[in-house]
Amino acid sequence: MTDRPILFSGPMIRALLEGRKTQTRRILKPQPPADMGLVGVYAPALTAVFGYVTPDADFKVPLRYMPGVRLWVRESLADTGNGVGYVADGTVDPSAVWAWKRGYLPSIHMPRGLSRLTLIVTDVRVQRLQEISEADAKEEGAGSHPCGGCGEKNPDGRCIGCLHPFHTNGFQVLWDSLNAKPRPRYGDDGKVTHYESFPWGGESVTETYRGKPHHIHANPWVAALTFNVIRQNIDAMGEAE
C-alpha cells in the first residue's frame, strides 16, 4: 500500500494530538465542471483492488487516497537549541539533531523521519463541500463557532433560536481561512498563468485578479477522508501491508 505525506496547520495538528480530529477534506483536482451530476473517482494501480471507478459517471477524477493508505503528517519545526521542537504544541525531541542553518522549518520541508503522527485511511467519500454533516464537521476538529448572536446551544450542537450548526460554522470559518484566498498557478516557464480559490459559498465564476484569470470554485468537490490517528513515526510501524 502507498505511503503519502499530508500537511496540516498548527491548530489541526493539536486537534489530531488531542483526539478531536478523525476527518479531513481535500480538494479534488481537477474540479469537475459545475453541471456534473455524477462524479466517479479512480486510483491508478488500485482500481482493480477497490473498484472505485463509477462506469457511468459524467466525470472521472484520479484520487490519491484510498482505504488502507498511510499518511505521514508534516508539520512545522523549530530549533530549540536542545533538540527539534514541534511548533504546533511546543513539544521538543531532545534526541533529534537540528540539521538546518535556519532556525525554522516550514511543514512542507519536514522530513519523513521526524514525523510523529501517522494516519491510516479507513474511508473515502467524494462529495460537495457543503454536504458535510454536523457530526462530520465535529470530526474535522475545527471546533464550534457561533452563528452570530444566538449564544446558547441545544444538546445536538445547534444554536438556540436560529438552529445553525455550531461545528459546521466552525469548519466553514477554518475552510475559508485556508482556501478562499486566490492562489497562484504556474506554467512550465515558472510564471503565473492564473489564480484559483475554493471558498465555502458564493458563485463559481472567473474574475480578474492581478491582471490574470481568477477561477473561483465555490462549494468545491472534495475527497472526505476518515482515518485512525497513530502517534508514531510511520517507519517505526514497519512495512505497510
Side-chain angles (χ1 to χ4, degrees):
M1 190 60 66
T2 304
D3 296 338
R4 296 189 183 279
I6 190 168
L7 293 169
F8 286 102
S9 65
M12 293 300 95
I13 294 292
R14 292 193 291 275
L16 290 170
L17 291 169
E18 294 166 7
R20 296 185 289 104
K21 185 173 181 65
T22 61
Q23 289 188 21
T24 188
R25 279 154 176 76
R26 301 286 154 151
I27 298 165
L28 288 186
K29 298 179 181 178
Q31 280 285 293
D35 59 352
M36 291 293 101
L38 181 61
V39 176
V41 297
Y42 68 93
L46 294 179
T47 300
V49 178
F50 293 104
Y52 266 61
V53 169
T54 307
D56 55 348
D58 302 308
F59 190 84
K60 296 182 178 68
V61 180
L63 197 62
R64 291 169 53 84
Y65 310 103
M66 287 290 180
V69 167
R70 304 191 307 178
L71 307 174
W72 56 277
V73 176
R74 277 178 161 162
E75 54 181 302
S76 299
L77 304 175
D79 183 6
T80 66
N82 186 33
V84 172
Y86 294 85
V87 175
D89 66 341
T91 297
V92 177
D93 182 355
S95 66
V97 178
W98 188 259
W100 301 272
K101 293 181 179 180
R102 53 184 172 174
Y104 175 81
L105 195 69
S107 57
I108 188 66
H109 297 305
M110 180 193 199
R112 175 174 171 139
L114 289 178
S115 176
R116 57 176 174 165
L117 291 167
T118 304
L119 313 180
I120 310 297
V121 178
T122 59
D123 184 61
V124 181
R125 291 167 289 154
V126 172
Q127 58 185 205
R128 299 299 289 268
L129 179 63
Q130 292 183 22
E131 291 178 13
I132 189 171
S133 67
E134 175 71 355
D136 283 349
K138 184 177 181 180
E139 295 304 312
E140 278 276 355
S144 61
H145 192 278
C147 66
C150 294
E152 298 182 45
K153 287 187 292 184
N154 284 322
D156 65 356
R158 293 175 181 267
C159 244
I160 295 175
C162 71
L163 299 183
H164 284 179
F166 263 56
H167 290 286
T168 301
N169 287 344
F171 175 69
Q172 178 182 345
V173 170
L174 172 69
W175 180 270
D176 278 347
S177 72
L178 298 173
N179 300 292
K181 298 177 181 178
R183 300 294 184 185
R185 302 296 183 237
Y186 300 91
D188 294 337
D189 59 359
K191 296 181 179 180
V192 175
T193 58
H194 63 283
Y195 292 84
E196 284 187 301
S197 59
F198 301 85
W200 171 273
E203 296 184 4
S204 295
V205 296
T206 297
E207 301 177 342
T208 299
Y209 181 76
R210 295 183 176 177
K212 300 290 185 180
H214 172 207
H215 305 301
I216 300 173
H217 306 279
N219 188 23
W221 287 91
V222 297
L225 313 182
T226 302
F227 48 78
N228 294 325
V229 181
I230 311 297
R231 298 183 62 169
Q232 188 176 15
N233 179 268
I234 189 170
D235 294 323
M237 298 171 58
E239 295 293 330
E241 296 182 0

